[in-house]
Amino acid sequence: MQVLSKMSPVPVTCLEYVHPWTQSCTVATAELMIVGVQYCLRIYAAVYALSLIMRGRIPTVPELLKTLRGWLQSTAFLTTNAFSYSIIMCTLRRVMGSFNFYTASYVPAFLAALISIMVERSSRRALLALYVSNVATETLWNILQSRGLVRSLPYGEIAIFGLSTSVLMYCYRLNRQKDYRDSMFDVVRFAIGDCEVMKPDPAPIAATPVADEPCTSSSTRARKPKFPLPFIQSVLRAYLQLTGRLKALGKHKLCRHRYGCLYDTLSSGARMFSIGLGIQVVMKAVLQMRRFIQRPALMRKTFLNNDIARLGLFLGGFTSIYKMSSCLLRHFTDSDSPMFAFPSGLLASAAFAFYSDNTIALYIMWKTLQITYNWGIEKGYLPKVPGFTVMLYAASTALLFHAATIEPENLRPSYWKFLHSISGGRICIMDRSGFDVYGLDTSGQIHKMMKLCKTEAVLQGRLS
């Protein structure tokens, strides 16, 4: 079969390609809008309800009204993106007379995303751009890899995470007066603490004096609660002795944590490991509750599996390695510098091997780029590009829609399922056979991706 160039026209109509289930472009657009509204209302209802719950208090009437407006506005944004994509494709085909490689999806998706993002609140645009850029980066890499232009590197996601985290930690340590605020800094502060922030006054914090051992005092023994089992009392006494000795160990004069370096490292790592393990346990319990009720034996297999500790090992390992390496650098160099964030961050990123994930690595990378760019603008080092966030969202979304239409095997399966749901399954029955002339086996890829969703016969019966 002859492979056409990217600009070569493909003689297919929008009836054959865009909406084969109906002959009317208007009806197809209306159907997509109705299905999109129903799906988006459900999705954003959960999102905004969760945001209210996370506040931990009963919302006021103004907060409820603001949440309601945000829910409806976000629904309008995502629905606009869905149905405007269809109508723009039909319009471009009527204006140009045919489709080509770019107008088949990328150009109409770019225009639709550009229109829809203006419907959404400006405060949410950066978050949306960050998310789609994350997925688009992975998709672009898969596209280049499928063409033989790049090759995957072993542990590439760990390298991306390590470099991005090092820059992020450097920015965090430089943020002395907290003059730049970002939610990612709050996450880092929760894990690492404020002791790694470079203070204007480098005076060290004196270690809190620790008694030789409280448990050896008779008066202290009298104040302790009595346990029914001597074993528990012995374990508690040993624990208090160990922690007391660790707290009493020395620290460098420039270290700002309260107790000794070893105690600070171990206690921070244990805390983050417990949090990671707790998150995994709760998620497993909530998501598989129905299976556990039907088959109680699965609980033992699930909660005793080594995989359940992976997130905890990553969080605890990262925190411990970063804090210990920072302390060692202060001991060896007898100084403190924001540059210590680079070796410490690279060493700590080795813990990412326990929970390596492309999505997390790319999110950290894009978040770091966003922080450095915004901070550079505030400091006057970088120029502000008007509409950069909007254009980034439109370009990234267009790439995702293009991959879903022309070469879906390069798209993240979760995003394909999202497009399938928001279109009511119509993305699967768009006839792409005319675009096989570009040599990408588009029809074959679609049939493989349809295994993730419903069969074409079920969809046709549902739409008839």
Side-chain angles (χ1 to χ4, degrees):
M1 180 184 67
Q2 181 183 3
V3 179
L4 297 181
S5 66
K6 299 294 179 65
M7 295 301 295
S8 299
V10 177
V12 296
T13 64
C14 56
L15 170 60
E16 297 168 334
Y17 162 50
V18 182
H19 46 83
W21 62 88
T22 180
Q23 296 183 356
S24 172
C25 301
T26 306
V27 171
T29 303
E31 289 179 349
L32 285 171
M33 182 176 65
I34 294 172
V35 173
V37 166
Q38 296 175 358
Y39 176 78
C40 296
L41 283 173
R42 294 195 303 269
I43 292 297
Y44 280 113
V47 170
Y48 281 93
L50 182 61
S51 68
L52 288 176
I53 295 173
M54 292 294 289
R55 297 179 183 179
R57 56 182 174 82
I58 299 176
T60 61
V61 174
E63 288 176 339
L64 289 174
L65 293 177
K66 183 180 178 180
T67 301
L68 178 61
R69 287 194 298 268
W71 174 39
L72 297 177
Q73 190 170 359
S74 296
T75 299
F77 144 72
L78 196 53
T79 305
T80 302
N81 204 343
F83 76 80
S84 60
Y85 171 67
S86 173
I87 194 64
I88 291 176
M89 276 199 296
C90 294
T91 303
L92 284 177
R93 206 278 309 173
R94 290 179 181 273
V95 172
M96 301 183 64
S98 62
F99 291 104
N100 59 42
F101 186 81
Y102 300 104
T103 61
S105 185
Y106 190 90
V107 173
F110 181 88
L111 296 175
L114 204 59
I115 295 171
S116 62
I117 193 64
M118 303 308 295
V119 178
E120 183 57 287
R121 289 178 298 162
S122 57
S123 60
R124 283 182 47 83
R125 293 172 188 171
L127 180 63
L128 292 167
L130 188 68
Y131 169 72
V132 294
S133 299
N134 183 344
V135 186
T137 303
E138 181 182 346
T139 303
L140 179 60
W141 180 268
N142 293 337
I143 291 175
L144 296 176
Q145 188 176 18
S146 67
R147 286 156 172 72
L149 300 177
V150 296
R151 290 187 303 173
S152 292
L153 300 176
Y155 308 108
E157 68 279 1
I158 299 178
I160 293 174
F161 179 83
L163 293 173
S164 303
T165 302
S166 300
V167 177
L168 179 64
M169 291 300 183
Y170 176 77
C171 295
Y172 175 71
R173 296 195 63 169
L174 279 180
N175 195 25
R176 301 174 182 177
Q177 302 292 347
K178 300 181 182 178
D179 49 356
Y180 179 82
R181 301 193 62 84
D182 191 274
S183 59
M184 183 55 69
F185 282 168
D186 295 333
V187 175
V188 175
R189 186 174 294 109
F190 177 78
I192 304 299
D194 284 326
C195 60
E196 295 298 333
V197 178
M198 296 296 297
K199 303 293 183 182
D201 181 11
I205 298 175
T208 300
V210 181
D212 292 336
E213 191 51 54
C215 62
T216 59
S217 171
S218 58
S219 59
T220 305
R221 266 194 217 105
R223 289 196 301 266
K224 285 183 181 180
K226 294 183 178 181
F227 295 94
L229 297 178
F231 173 74
I232 298 178
Q233 196 171 10
S234 300
V235 170
L236 179 61
R237 184 182 298 111
Y239 171 76
L240 293 175
Q241 290 177 347
L242 178 62
T243 55
R245 291 173 182 175
L246 289 176
K247 289 179 180 179
L249 291 178
K251 66 173 185 174
H252 193 271
K253 60 183 180 181
L254 294 178
C255 289
R256 296 185 171 273
H257 41 78
R258 186 177 183 184
Y259 299 111
C261 296
L262 184 58
Y263 176 80
D264 182 68
T265 299
L266 295 177
S267 60
S268 299
R271 178 174 65 91
M272 294 307 298
F273 172 80
S274 301
I275 291 173
L277 181 63
I279 291 173
Q280 287 287 83
V281 170
V282 171
M283 289 182 61
K284 293 286 186 182
V286 172
L287 297 178
Q288 302 189 33
M289 179 64 68
R290 185 175 179 180
R291 295 181 60 193
F292 291 155
I293 294 175
Q294 295 175 348
R295 298 175 59 187
L298 287 177
M299 295 181 63
R300 176 184 176 86
K301 183 178 180 181
T302 301
F303 293 119
L304 296 182
N305 195 310
N306 293 334
D307 290 342
I308 203 169
R310 289 175 56 207
L311 180 59
L313 290 172
F314 159 54
L315 295 177
F318 180 88
T319 303
S320 298
I321 296 173
Y322 182 85
K323 303 199 77 169
M324 178 55 71
S325 57
S326 297
C327 290
L328 290 176
L329 286 171
R330 285 189 283 266
H331 279 278
F332 291 151
T333 63
D334 198 26
S335 63
D336 196 10
S337 170
M339 297 299 293
F340 290 171
F342 289 100
S344 299
L346 290 174
L347 288 173
S349 64
F352 190 56
F354 289 113
Y355 201 75
S356 59
D357 184 81
N358 289 336
T359 303
I360 297 176
L362 292 175
Y363 176 81
I364 297 295
M365 182 190 75
W366 276 103
K367 192 64 180 177
T368 303
L369 290 174
Q370 180 195 28
I371 290 174
T372 53
Y373 175 67
N374 291 338
W375 205 351
I377 292 175
E378 288 188 5
K379 297 294 184 181
Y381 302 141
L382 297 174
K384 184 176 182 179
V385 180
F388 176 78
T389 301
V390 172
M391 297 302 294
L392 178 63
Y393 172 83
S396 300
T397 303
L399 179 63
L400 297 177
F401 274 64
H402 161 82
T405 305
I406 305 299
E407 39 193 319
E409 282 190 331
N410 293 320
L411 186 65
R412 186 183 296 177
S414 60
Y415 200 82
W416 169 266
K417 292 179 180 179
F418 162 72
L419 294 178
H420 173 270
S421 299
I422 197 172
S423 66
R426 289 161 176 79
I427 189 175
C428 289
I429 59 176
M430 292 171 63
D431 186 7
R432 299 155 169 91
S433 58
F435 300 102
D436 289 338
V437 295
Y438 292 118
L440 297 175
D441 189 27
T442 301
S443 297
Q445 292 190 42
I446 290 298
H447 285 302
K448 293 178 182 178
M449 295 300 293
M450 284 177 61
K451 295 179 181 179
L452 299 173
C453 311
K454 298 180 180 180
T455 62
E456 185 173 354
V458 173
L459 291 172
Q460 289 284 13
R462 187 166 130 198
L463 296 173
S464 60

